Amino acid sequence: MSELEKQIQIYYDTNKIIKAYHLAFYLAGWDSETGCPIGTIQSRSDALGTLSELGFKIRTSKEYNDAIDYLYEHREELDPVLKHEIIGQKEDIEDTKKFPIEEVVELSKLENEIHPVYVQAKLASDFNMFKPYLEKMIGFQKRKIEYISKDNQFNNYKGYDVLLNSFEKDMTMEEYDKFFGLLKEKLVPFIKKVTAKKLDYDREFTTKVYPKEQQAIMSEYLRDVMDFDRNYTILRESEHPFTSGNGNKDVRITTHYYEDCISSSMLSIIHEMGHGLYELHVSDEIDATMSGGGASMAMHESQSRFMENMIGRSKAFWDTHYAKLQSIFPEQLGNVKEDDFYKYMNEVQCSLIRTEADELTYPLHIMVRYEIEKKIFNGSVTVDELPSEWNRLYKEYLGIDVPNDKAGVLQDIHWALGSFGYFPTYALGSAYAAQFYNALSKDVDVDKAVRSGNLKEINAWLKENIHKYGSSLDPKDIILKATGEEFNPNYYIDYLINKYSKIYDIK
Amino acid sequence: MSELEKQIQIYYDTNKIIKAYHLAFYLAGWDSETGCPIGTIQSRSDALGTLSELGFKIRTSKEYNDAIDYLYEHREELDPVLKHEIIGQKEDIEDTKKFPIEEVVELSKLENEIHPVYVQAKLASDFNMFKPYLEKMIGFQKRKIEYISKDNQFNNYKGYDVLLNSFEKDMTMEEYDKFFGLLKEKLVPFIKKVTAKKLDYDREFTTKVYPKEQQAIMSEYLRDVMDFDRNYTILRESEHPFTSGNGNKDVRITTHYYEDCISSSMLSIIHEMGHGLYELHVSDEIDATMSGGGASMAMHESQSRFMENMIGRSKAFWDTHYAKLQSIFPEQLGNVKEDDFYKYMNEVQCSLIRTEADELTYPLHIMVRYEIEKKIFNGSVTVDELPSEWNRLYKEYLGIDVPNDKAGVLQDIHWALGSFGYFPTYALGSAYAAQFYNALSKDVDVDKAVRSGNLKEINAWLKENIHKYGSSLDPKDIILKATGEEFNPNYYIDYLINKYSKIYDIK
């Protein structure tokens, strides 16, 4: 066995152990989210802490790190998947090494403190309560930028770009500015035209009750439509919908049924199945490595939003499946025209809360957050000014007044988690989706495929062009391979303006 | 730190890791039984295998075993709980050491092969298919007896006693013979009298449909009645009911709803809550050690059967709760007299299948198995003769003809798992329960306590006298402490004859 083979073996053997620990955390997380006894969460934290220490020891063992160093030195001799993986691992290790141990200890302390304070502050709609902790967190982010950008052998990113790159590889302010600039220029005036109008349809059905048991029947029907393989997936209920996966043979989604709203659970299930299909379709060879899962947050979000918005809210989809929905809810929908239901599924309204926003106004919510984060890291806004800056931007882009901080600057948990640079990936995901949609349309008659009643053909294209690679390629490379060009936000703008011009009859 | 303190620390620190691995297996097991994607069970077996290896390495590490050796040498200096625990650990280690590695490898191979063969043989009702594997398994058990009994520093058990002791400490043929002898003498003729009669009641309600959703309402009601703390417990559905626990803060039970049978799920939930209360009531100090959980299989079974049979099938219980059941099933039970329902819950019938047997005839099923196992290990029956011996004993004790091996010698999985010596603990559990019941009755007005609508008072007695000790005492010591005397099977015989003489009006 050559030294290279030996080091590869060490790397693979250690990954096997890391994956075994990962399974334990995956199962514990799923169990916590889907109904373990409330009182056990505290009692088992010791055991989880022990497993976490054991996993940490393995990941940081000299043998493993030496193997990664050796393989990084010899990266040109590796197959492309392993080479890509080792570069990522090496970069992670080098980044981690740059943090002084005092910083790590202090951050861990802050993370423990900030979460309950954030929850309380949001409940009380009191930004001042949260402020000192947020200041500390932002301070840490600024030092993080300094640590990582100093003597960086992998890239030259500075400032906020360091954070943006950590969530979406090689996406920087330069590219996001172009993207959000276009949104501001084209979308803000268009949305003003749209929201000046009101869709004309009878809203009585939106006030009816849709019992959970019947909604669950529709969920199972949608699993068939989406070709979401029951052998490797389950659907459960939880407080907030999410997708959880452990490799391409175990993907779990949840939903939450609201009996006063027929659209919520259907759209969230379609959204989560979009995430889930990505995980399921990673090729077995890639799944066996550490390059499984999705290529990035934005790539993942592109797949869920593609399914939710471009398929699940499309005319073709409801032309095909509305009769089924009517048959499940004959009393509530029996006399409701499909066209009215379609309008309801695509109604646009400027609103306060990001997570409840419609497809068209959603990116404006992200734009507000992106602009604020930019200002935080170029020093042109203080933490004190965040609420007023937030409210000013909501007025400017969405035309609405923010009544309090709970519905304003405190609405999202991301900053409390230290996730700065994360928000833009949400909008980016939708834009990727539109570009993929355009490429898909050249190979597949999407309208016909949707009307076939089953998404097999569309899924096959997504698998072949995106999903099968897992995270073995960078997002930019996947986009280039799948669409033949670099990321281009115009597809997204065109898609939105085209779709909503029709629905709102705007010339 | 003294050497003793140092070794105790090593012992505790290692147990912390062993418990952490245990949590991972606990969660994986629960997940498998309650609805993970079917297709993932195979795919995650590698990761579970890795965790299992890691756990095995820790348990068999020199440091841990040296600590146990040291503590065993110094056992007189330890507190009683730790002393008891270390003796058990030392005995386990010494027993394990006695097996030549070739035996361990061969057994593991046999275990893998025998299970699918057993399942197939049972399906085909073909004992001959199973026979060669069963012969091998019995051969292994006989050699196991030789290994363990040779130079044993902990006890002098020989032959079948070695196996009996491994399932219930210090229970041997001498004691079981007394127990089953009494059953044969007193119970067999009594059961003949009982089954010669037929309970007189209108059985129409036993053919009605009892929808699952309504049964689930009754389940929640029963959780309240049993005072089964929702903070630390959950109830789910599974193919077969079971209890699963990980310490005294996480206890999970399952049930299976049969819509054509109203008694099945209620009794199984009460049974599983009996197991569950045992786990919940272990004191926190004991739970923190390796002496949590129940003291033995028979002790556990005593608690579940106490709740199921002595409480859950009692007149006081249904006097108190039948009106609630009627209110949940007004159409099915509205016009059914409580007395008829009580008769239905306690009807006796000689039947073929152990797991479906009623309270009175159940021990006869166990007696058949005990007699056969005795003969296997004293060499007075060959494997060839097992089916005919089985059928002969069913005819003798239960008066019924066994139509085929599926309903006969192949009905239980225990022998395929190598669990010889296990069956007697089932009957022993019921007998323990009767002795505990008698002791409880001296301190608590059981009838009044049951009629109070909530089992708090009874639970408190069980906790104080049995549950809180976990497995830190041997069953014999718990029985002596709780009842003031050694195990005495007469309580069981008296309880059964007294109860069923009333129900069947036998003078």
Side-chain angles (χ1 to χ4, degrees):
Chain A
M1 201 188 258
S2 73
E3 185 60 24
L4 187 70
E5 286 167 332
K6 204 184 121 192
Q7 295 297 328
I8 290 176
Q9 197 57 50
I10 291 172
Y11 179 69
Y12 284 152
D13 287 348
T14 313
N15 288 341
K16 225 175 115 176
I17 297 177
I18 292 171
K19 285 187 165 199
Y21 285 117
H22 184 265
L23 172 66
F25 283 98
Y26 168 71
L27 292 172
W30 175 256
D31 190 63
S32 300
E33 297 282 356
T34 58
C36 73
I38 306 288
T40 199
I41 291 182
Q42 177 62 29
S43 81
R44 76 188 184 195
S45 68
D46 269 2
L48 289 174
T50 301
L51 283 177
S52 178
E53 266 175 49
L54 293 168
F56 180 79
K57 263 189 204 161
I58 295 285
R59 273 197 319 283
T60 55
S61 69
K62 189 168 176 329
E63 196 185 28
Y64 187 56
N65 282 270
D66 285 351
I68 290 171
D69 277 342
Y70 184 93
L71 295 176
Y72 183 73
E73 293 306 319
H74 296 76
R75 61 190 178 275
E76 298 309 330
E77 297 159 52
L78 305 175
D79 71 69
V81 170
L82 184 54
K83 179 183 165 186
H84 179 266
E85 193 172 303
I86 287 293
I87 294 172
Q89 295 265 25
K90 175 75 177 167
E91 193 171 347
D92 276 354
I93 289 171
E94 294 302 313
D95 281 358
T96 308
K97 274 190 203 160
K98 290 177 172 176
F99 288 85
I101 181 74
E102 310 85 68
E103 283 279 19
V104 177
V105 172
E106 207 192 316
L107 176 65
S108 150
K109 215 178 123 213
L110 177 60
E111 283 172 341
N112 276 328
E113 291 168 356
I114 196 171
H115 185 257
V117 174
Y118 165 72
V119 172
Q120 266 209 295
K122 183 173 173 182
L123 265 175
S125 194
D126 181 354
F127 181 74
N128 283 331
M129 193 191 283
F130 184 48
K131 209 183 67 179
Y133 295 87
L134 182 59
E135 249 160 6
K136 275 195 204 173
M137 185 56 93
I138 288 173
F140 174 80
Q141 298 296 321
K142 288 182 175 172
R143 294 196 301 284
K144 176 178 165 181
I145 289 171
E146 293 311 314
Y147 294 133
I148 292 181
S149 57
K150 197 180 163 201
D151 301 329
N152 195 313
Q153 57 182 299
F154 301 95
N155 61 60
N156 293 313
Y157 299 136
K158 305 283 173 211
Y160 185 38
D161 280 351
V162 171
L163 304 180
L164 291 170
N165 173 61
S166 77
F167 283 102
E168 188 72 8
K169 197 164 157 57
D170 296 327
M171 277 298 292
T172 61
M173 280 185 281
E174 193 185 335
E175 307 214 32
Y176 276 123
D177 281 348
K178 267 189 247 162
F179 175 40
F180 287 114
L182 212 60
L183 287 181
K184 197 167 167 176
E185 181 197 336
K186 303 264 179 79
L187 226 48
V188 172
F190 177 70
I191 289 172
K192 289 207 170 116
K193 282 192 224 167
V194 167
T195 50
K197 293 186 137 187
K198 191 168 158 65
L199 286 179
D200 179 30
Y201 69 97
D202 183 351
R203 284 165 173 77
E204 202 201 333
F205 72 91
T206 67
T207 62
K208 297 237 165 115
V209 171
Y210 295 84
K212 207 163 132 161
E213 294 70 27
Q214 283 153 268
Q215 290 198 46
I217 295 170
M218 189 64 189
S219 300
E220 291 304 319
Y221 174 80
L222 290 172
R223 286 172 85 178
D224 291 333
V225 170
M226 302 272 290
D227 206 29
F228 197 64
D229 191 344
R230 280 192 179 74
N231 203 30
Y232 301 117
T233 65
I234 51 175
L235 164 65
R236 293 279 177 280
E237 279 181 72
S238 66
E239 192 52 34
H240 302 284
F242 67 91
T243 300
S244 177
N246 186 51
N248 68 359
K249 301 281 187 294
D250 187 354
V251 175
R252 301 165 185 216
I253 63 168
T254 71
T255 190
H256 191 99
Y257 294 112
Y258 295 94
E259 300 206 326
D260 60 354
C261 176
I262 180 59
S263 60
S264 172
S265 167
M266 288 196 300
L267 289 170
S268 82
I269 284 178
I270 295 171
H271 179 102
E272 302 307 333
M273 281 196 280
H275 283 302
L277 286 165
Y278 195 171
E279 302 274 326
L280 285 172
H281 287 163
V282 172
S283 76
D284 285 341
E285 303 83 62
I286 295 291
D287 189 65
T289 70
M290 298 299 265
S291 302
S296 71
M297 294 304 307
M299 284 295 296
H300 238 302
E301 211 61 17
S302 77
Q303 299 309 295
S304 55
R305 283 170 199 264
F306 170 80
M307 286 299 181
E308 178 190 345
N309 294 327
M310 293 166 191
I311 303 296
R313 295 190 206 246
S314 71
K315 194 77 179 64
F317 192 83
W318 291 110
D319 280 354
T320 316
H321 305 296
Y322 184 64
K324 176 70 187 181
L325 188 66
Q326 280 182 308
S327 77
I328 294 173
F329 296 104
E331 279 174 43
Q332 297 90 333
L333 296 173
N335 296 319
V336 176
K337 282 183 295 180
E338 185 209 322
D339 203 50
D340 285 3
F341 183 78
Y342 176 68
K343 282 178 182 162
Y344 159 68
M345 293 296 270
N346 287 286
E347 191 149 36
V348 176
Q349 200 169 14
C350 285
S351 61
L352 284 164
I353 307 296
R354 176 184 64 85
T355 55
E356 292 164 14
D358 57 78
E359 181 185 11
L360 182 62
T361 61
Y362 187 86
L364 302 191
H365 291 261
I366 300 304
M367 202 158 75
V368 168
R369 288 153 179 82
Y370 173 68
E371 294 210 6
I372 291 177
E373 289 189 353
K374 259 180 35 174
K375 288 187 176 178
I376 289 174
F377 293 102
N378 70 20
S380 62
V381 69
T382 65
V383 177
D384 275 307
E385 293 163 347
L386 290 179
S388 59
E389 183 63 10
W390 183 284
N391 299 352
R392 189 184 67 74
L393 288 166
Y394 261 79
K395 186 73 185 175
E396 181 180 341
Y397 297 146
L398 287 130
I400 53 176
D401 293 308
V402 178
N404 56 52
D405 291 341
K406 185 178 175 178
V409 69
L410 289 173
Q411 71 178 260
D412 292 308
I413 197 172
H414 299 61
W415 291 345
L417 299 173
S419 296
F420 292 85
Y422 188 146
F423 283 123
T425 67
Y426 288 134
L428 191 62
S430 298
Y432 284 176
Q435 186 165 340
F436 289 136
Y437 191 12
N438 182 269
L440 165 71
S441 305
K442 292 175 191 160
D443 298 337
V444 172
D445 182 340
V446 180
D447 191 79
K448 198 176 145 202
V450 172
R451 287 176 196 278
S452 78
N454 180 293
L455 300 190
K456 270 188 176 46
E457 200 183 348
I458 292 171
N459 284 350
W461 189 93
L462 295 170
K463 178 176 181 174
E464 185 55 31
N465 290 282
I466 302 168
H467 299 172
K468 71 173 184 188
Y469 299 115
S471 57
S472 70
L473 295 176
D474 289 342
K476 294 205 165 180
D477 294 326
I478 295 174
I479 292 168
L480 193 60
K481 261 178 182 284
T483 72
E485 59 179 316
E486 291 185 349
F487 170 54
N488 178 351
N490 282 300
Y491 291 111
Y492 183 41
I493 312 284
D494 292 348
Y495 158 78
L496 287 174
I497 291 179
N498 185 32
K499 174 173 175 180
Y500 288 92
S501 293
K502 271 190 203 138
I503 293 169
Y504 276 82
D505 194 22
I506 288 166
K507 314 287 176 212
Chain B
M1 201 187 255
S2 72
E3 185 59 25
L4 187 70
E5 286 166 334
K6 204 185 121 192
Q7 295 296 328
I8 290 176
Q9 198 55 51
I10 291 173
Y11 179 68
Y12 284 152
D13 287 348
T14 313
N15 287 342
K16 228 176 110 175
I17 297 176
I18 292 171
K19 283 187 166 199
Y21 285 117
H22 184 262
L23 173 65
F25 282 99
Y26 169 71
L27 292 172
W30 175 255
D31 190 64
S32 300
E33 297 281 356
T34 58
C36 72
I38 306 287
T40 198
I41 292 183
Q42 178 61 28
S43 81
R44 76 187 184 196
S45 68
D46 270 2
L48 288 175
T50 301
L51 284 177
S52 176
E53 265 176 49
L54 293 169
F56 180 79
K57 264 191 206 161
I58 295 285
R59 271 198 319 282
T60 57
S61 70
K62 190 169 177 328
E63 196 185 28
Y64 187 56
N65 283 269
D66 285 350
I68 290 172
D69 278 342
Y70 184 92
L71 296 176
Y72 183 72
E73 293 304 319
H74 295 76
R75 60 189 178 277
E76 298 309 330
E77 297 158 52
L78 305 175
D79 71 69
V81 169
L82 184 54
K83 179 182 165 186
H84 179 265
E85 193 172 304
I86 288 293
I87 294 172
Q89 295 265 26
K90 176 74 178 169
E91 194 172 345
D92 276 355
I93 290 171
E94 292 303 311
D95 282 357
T96 307
K97 273 189 200 159
K98 290 176 171 175
F99 287 84
I101 182 73
E102 310 86 69
E103 283 280 16
V104 177
V105 172
E106 207 191 314
L107 176 64
S108 151
K109 213 178 124 212
L110 177 60
E111 283 172 342
N112 277 328
E113 291 168 356
I114 196 171
H115 185 256
V117 174
Y118 165 73
V119 172
Q120 266 208 296
K122 183 174 173 180
L123 264 175
S125 194
D126 181 355
F127 181 75
N128 282 331
M129 192 191 285
F130 182 49
K131 208 181 68 178
Y133 295 86
L134 182 58
E135 249 160 7
K136 275 195 206 174
M137 184 56 92
I138 289 173
F140 174 81
Q141 298 296 322
K142 288 181 176 175
R143 293 196 302 284
K144 176 177 164 183
I145 289 171
E146 293 310 314
Y147 295 132
I148 291 182
S149 57
K150 198 181 164 200
D151 302 327
N152 196 311
Q153 56 182 300
F154 301 96
N155 61 58
N156 292 312
Y157 299 137
K158 305 284 172 211
Y160 184 37
D161 281 350
V162 171
L163 305 180
L164 291 171
N165 173 62
S166 77
F167 284 102
E168 188 72 7
K169 196 164 158 55
D170 297 327
M171 277 298 292
T172 61
M173 278 184 283
E174 194 185 335
E175 307 211 32
Y176 277 122
D177 279 350
K178 266 188 250 163
F179 174 41
F180 287 113
L182 212 60
L183 287 180
K184 195 167 168 178
E185 182 198 334
K186 303 264 178 81
L187 226 48
V188 172
F190 178 70
I191 289 171
K192 289 208 168 115
K193 281 191 226 166
V194 167
T195 51
K197 294 185 133 185
K198 192 169 158 65
L199 286 179
D200 179 30
Y201 69 98
D202 184 351
R203 284 166 173 77
E204 203 201 332
F205 71 92
T206 66
T207 62
K208 298 237 163 113
V209 172
Y210 295 84
K212 211 163 127 161
E213 293 72 27
Q214 285 154 265
Q215 291 199 45
I217 295 171
M218 189 63 189
S219 301
E220 292 304 320
Y221 174 79
L222 290 172
R223 286 172 85 178
D224 291 333
V225 169
M226 302 271 291
D227 205 29
F228 199 63
D229 191 344
R230 282 192 179 73
N231 203 30
Y232 301 117
T233 65
I234 52 176
L235 164 65
R236 292 280 178 280
E237 279 180 72
S238 66
E239 192 53 34
H240 303 285
F242 67 91
T243 300
S244 179
N246 188 51
N248 67 0
K249 301 281 187 295
D250 187 353
V251 175
R252 302 166 185 216
I253 63 169
T254 71
T255 190
H256 190 99
Y257 295 113
Y258 296 95
E259 300 205 324
D260 60 354
C261 176
I262 180 56
S263 60
S264 172
S265 167
M266 288 196 299
L267 289 170
S268 81
I269 284 178
I270 295 172
H271 179 101
E272 302 306 333
M273 283 197 278
H275 283 302
L277 286 165
Y278 196 171
E279 303 274 326
L280 285 172
H281 287 163
V282 173
S283 75
D284 285 342
E285 303 82 63
I286 296 292
D287 190 65
T289 69
M290 299 298 266
S291 301
S296 71
M297 294 305 307
M299 284 295 296
H300 239 303
E301 210 62 16
S302 77
Q303 299 309 294
S304 55
R305 282 170 198 265
F306 169 80
M307 286 299 181
E308 177 189 347
N309 294 327
M310 292 165 192
I311 304 296
R313 295 190 207 247
S314 71
K315 193 77 181 62
F317 193 83
W318 291 109
D319 280 354
T320 316
H321 305 297
Y322 183 63
K324 175 71 186 180
L325 189 66
Q326 280 183 309
S327 77
I328 294 173
F329 296 104
E331 277 175 44
Q332 297 90 333
L333 296 173
N335 296 318
V336 176
K337 283 183 295 179
E338 186 209 321
D339 202 51
D340 285 2
F341 183 78
Y342 176 68
K343 282 178 184 163
Y344 159 69
M345 293 294 271
N346 287 286
E347 190 149 36
V348 176
Q349 200 169 17
C350 286
S351 62
L352 284 165
I353 308 294
R354 176 184 63 82
T355 56
E356 293 164 15
D358 57 79
E359 181 185 11
L360 183 63
T361 61
Y362 186 86
L364 302 191
H365 292 259
I366 299 304
M367 202 158 75
V368 169
R369 288 153 178 81
Y370 172 69
E371 294 209 7
I372 292 176
E373 289 189 352
K374 260 181 32 175
K375 286 186 176 177
I376 289 173
F377 293 101
N378 70 22
S380 64
V381 70
T382 65
V383 178
D384 274 307
E385 293 162 347
L386 290 180
S388 60
E389 184 63 9
W390 182 284
N391 300 351
R392 189 184 68 75
L393 288 166
Y394 262 78
K395 186 73 184 175
E396 182 180 338
Y397 297 144
L398 288 129
I400 53 176
D401 294 307
V402 177
N404 56 52
D405 292 341
K406 184 178 175 179
V409 70
L410 290 174
Q411 70 179 263
D412 293 308
I413 199 176
H414 299 59
W415 292 346
L417 299 172
S419 295
F420 292 86
Y422 188 146
F423 284 123
T425 67
Y426 288 133
L428 192 62
S430 299
Y432 285 176
Q435 187 166 341
F436 289 135
Y437 191 14
N438 183 268
L440 165 71
S441 305
K442 290 176 192 162
D443 297 336
V444 172
D445 182 339
V446 180
D447 190 79
K448 199 177 144 201
V450 171
R451 286 175 197 278
S452 78
N454 179 292
L455 300 190
K456 270 189 179 37
E457 200 183 348
I458 292 170
N459 285 351
W461 190 92
L462 295 171
K463 178 177 182 175
E464 185 54 30
N465 290 283
I466 302 168
H467 299 172
K468 71 173 184 187
Y469 299 115
S471 57
S472 69
L473 296 176
D474 288 342
K476 293 204 168 183
D477 294 325
I478 294 174
I479 291 169
L480 194 58
K481 261 177 183 285
T483 72
E485 58 178 317
E486 292 185 346
F487 170 55
N488 177 352
N490 281 301
Y491 292 111
Y492 182 42
I493 310 284
D494 292 349
Y495 157 79
L496 288 174
I497 291 180
N498 185 31
K499 173 174 175 178
Y500 288 92
S501 291
K502 272 189 205 139
I503 294 169
Y504 276 84
D505 194 22
I506 289 167
K507 314 293 174 200

